[in-house]
Amino acid sequence: MSSAEALLAAAREAAEQAHCPYSNFHVGAAVRCTDGTVVTGCNVENASYGLTICAERVALFNCVTQGLQPLELAVSCVDAQEDAPLASRMPCGACRQVMQELLPNDAIVHIDGIGERRIEQLLPDGFSLA
């Protein structure tokens, strides 16, 4: 199993922990850090939808709280049907912005059912205060 496949497998496993009583859409993410540590996250929904958080941000924020430097990310929408539009598997805009800030510029994002994308492909000309 390649490192990308292993990271996607970790994302799929993380999706099993999702708290998604409203969408029933289990999403998991896994981040490989510079020291080789893999940190995971899942989506956590709330009845007040604005308080919901995506799997990608949970995983990346967990890296920050553990003092780890994210290197690459994998995301899996395990409930996406094979014939679903590809856009339904893509990270949302908020997650793309967080990826841009916390991952290296040349980071690879592995998207289950789609393939690899670089940060600049996911968020060209992204917002920055630097």
Side-chain angles (χ1 to χ4, degrees), residues 10-21 23 25-31 39-46 51-63 73-79 95:
R12 290 182 198 115
E13 187 174 321
E16 295 175 18
Q17 301 304 315
H19 175 74
C20 52
S23 71
F25 202 70
H26 296 75
V27 182
V31 178
V39 177
T40 61
C42 62
N43 58 316
V44 180
E45 295 178 353
N46 189 280
L51 300 179
T52 293
I53 187 165
C54 301
E56 299 93 326
R57 285 182 280 152
V58 170
L60 287 164
F61 293 163
N62 280 337
C63 292
L73 180 140
V75 61
S76 178
C77 306
V78 297
D79 297 318
C95 288

Side-chain angles (χ1 to χ4, degrees), residues 25 27 77 80-81 83-91 114:
F25 202 70
V27 182
C77 306
Q81 297 178 352
D83 61 347
L86 294 183
S88 68
R89 298 174 185 268
M90 296 297 287
I114 292 181

Side-chain angles (χ1 to χ4, degrees), residues 78-128:
V78 297
D79 297 318
Q81 297 178 352
E82 286 189 33
D83 61 347
L86 294 183
S88 68
R89 298 174 185 268
M90 296 297 287
C92 75
C95 288
R96 293 176 196 212
Q97 179 64 40
V98 170
M99 287 178 205
Q100 176 191 323
E101 186 150 333
L102 297 181
L103 288 165
N105 289 337
D106 61 347
I108 295 174
V109 178
H110 308 278
I111 304 165
D112 208 359
I114 292 181
E116 297 179 354
R117 299 288 190 275
R118 295 213 178 268
I119 297 296
E120 61 268 9
Q121 291 174 299
L122 290 173
L123 190 64
D125 302 318
F127 176 77
S128 175

